[in-house]
Amino acid sequence: MMLPVSELHDFPGHPFQVRDDEEMEKLAESITQHGVLMPGLVRPRTAGGYEIVAGHRRKFASVKAGIREMPVIVRDMDDDTAVILMVDSNVQRENVLPSEKARAYKMKLDAIKRKAGRPSKENSAGIRQNLFSIQKIADDAGEGKTKIQQYIKINDLIPELLEMVDGNEIKFNPAYELAFLRLEEQAVLYDILQAEEVTPSLSQAQRLKRASQEGRLSEQDIATIMREEKAQTRDTGKVTLPAKEIEQFFPKSYTPEQKKKIIVKLLANWARQRGAQER
């Protein structure tokens, strides 16, 4: 049916960002010309209106294009079914950030467990169910079971480090190892990364994890580990731009890839101007 976009409300805890970027501009232009070609999926809200299960970007683009109504399929479903459908309809999109996948997979895992009736983690039935649930998420997403477990684990990172993962300042495999650090250790690590303008390699992250699990990771230990490999990589030509220093120049909706393109474009313009002056 056609419903007013004003009656369509976001899914609670929706883990996927709706970005007002170039792709959204294209979607809004398409909707202006052809309308919404694929209906969204919604369910009735007890507070009135409808809750979007799939179609957040289509709603945003419709509003952007000045369209007041949007085609949707209305379906009654329980909370856990809605979570599973919401994750499955979004996680295969391009440009999904690691943090978005991490939260989405965790939400889906919890929903699958609730639907099955969660047994105790300590007994063998609980372990089997957990492995079965993770395998189902992996099969649905086309990812390996280990990868799903790693994504779920990086939810344990503090927001500042997770933002660095989204910005590709910290690679995924080191991020997984860092997720085993205690929160206070992660906070110290983040401060050192900003002060030293470095990012941890996989071997550094593994050493930090091992020291943390052995109960011997002090602030000095973290600084020492990070500075050792910094000397080895100082002359590689790599330039790191700390997020805190550049985020003030970009809209919050910009993805790391968009920021990179703008920086490269500005450098290209600077190089042309410099070349003209030298001539």
Side-chain angles (χ1 to χ4, degrees):
M1 63 179 67
M2 295 294 294
L3 287 178
V5 292
S6 60
E7 292 187 22
L8 306 181
H9 302 272
D10 291 346
F11 194 94
H14 190 253
F16 302 98
Q17 298 178 25
V18 177
R19 306 181 186 93
D20 192 3
D21 53 16
E22 185 178 346
E23 290 300 316
M24 183 60 71
E25 290 286 347
K26 292 178 181 178
L27 181 57
E29 289 176 10
S30 174
I31 288 175
T32 299
Q33 296 176 12
H34 310 291
V36 177
L37 300 179
M38 181 180 295
L41 176 63
V42 302
R43 65 171 183 161
R45 291 170 81 234
T46 54
Y50 299 84
E51 182 179 284
I52 303 172
V53 177
H56 291 80
R57 294 182 74 253
R58 278 163 278 176
K59 178 206 169 179
F60 187 96
S62 294
V63 173
K64 189 177 181 69
I67 305 297
R68 297 184 178 180
E69 291 187 324
M70 175 175 147
V72 296
I73 297 170
V74 180
R75 184 182 300 174
D76 287 312
M77 63 186 84
D78 59 55
D79 291 344
D80 293 329
T81 299
V83 166
I84 292 169
L85 287 173
M86 180 273 295
V87 172
D88 287 348
S89 65
N90 284 278
V91 78
Q92 298 290 1
R93 289 194 289 108
E94 294 183 8
N95 302 321
V96 177
L97 297 173
S99 65
E100 295 175 331
K101 281 191 175 184
R103 287 191 289 268
Y105 289 149
K106 180 65 166 60
M107 289 177 70
K108 184 173 179 178
L109 177 64
D110 291 342
I112 292 174
K113 287 180 177 179
R114 286 192 296 265
K115 287 177 74 69
R118 190 195 307 250
S120 171
K121 287 183 178 179
E122 284 73 27
N123 61 37
S124 59
I127 295 172
R128 285 197 303 271
Q129 178 187 306
N130 190 62
L131 293 175
F132 171 80
S133 301
I134 290 174
Q135 186 62 62
K136 173 164 175 50
I137 295 172
D139 293 341
D140 291 345
E143 302 244 32
K145 185 172 67 175
T146 299
K147 197 72 169 180
I148 298 298
Q149 292 172 315
Q150 291 175 328
Y151 269 116
I152 292 173
K153 181 61 183 176
I154 68 169
N155 282 295
D156 292 340
L157 289 171
I158 61 174
E160 294 84 355
L161 290 180
L162 197 52
E163 184 178 345
M164 292 182 71
V165 180
D166 282 343
N168 204 32
E169 295 176 81
I170 299 178
K171 301 299 182 182
F172 183 82
N173 288 335
Y176 168 71
E177 303 292 338
L178 297 177
F180 288 89
L181 272 60
R182 292 191 292 272
L183 296 181
E184 58 270 25
E185 293 169 341
Q186 292 185 35
V188 170
L189 172 64
Y190 176 76
D191 289 340
I192 291 173
L193 296 182
Q194 297 305 303
E196 300 288 334
E197 298 187 357
V198 293
T199 57
S201 66
L202 178 58
S203 63
Q204 284 175 309
Q206 289 170 336
R207 290 172 61 194
L208 291 168
K209 171 187 172 183
R210 185 162 55 249
S212 175
Q213 292 177 330
E214 293 172 358
R216 53 176 183 81
L217 186 61
S218 67
E219 179 175 349
Q220 183 58 47
D221 293 327
I222 296 173
T224 299
I225 289 173
M226 293 309 304
R227 286 169 182 158
E228 283 177 359
E229 285 200 26
K230 181 184 178 184
Q232 299 172 18
T233 59
R234 185 177 298 142
D235 297 326
T236 61
K238 179 179 178 181
V239 177
T240 301
L241 298 176
K244 276 189 173 180
E245 292 186 12
I246 65 171
E247 61 186 9
Q248 60 181 310
F249 302 111
F250 296 96
K252 291 184 178 180
S253 61
Y254 272 42
T255 65
E257 186 62 28
Q258 286 178 297
K259 294 176 184 177
K260 176 183 174 182
K261 287 181 179 178
I262 290 176
I263 291 171
V264 171
K265 184 177 179 180
L266 290 171
L267 287 172
N269 290 337
W270 172 78
R272 283 195 295 270
Q273 292 172 1
R274 185 165 174 266
Q277 290 172 356
E278 290 177 353
R279 288 197 297 270

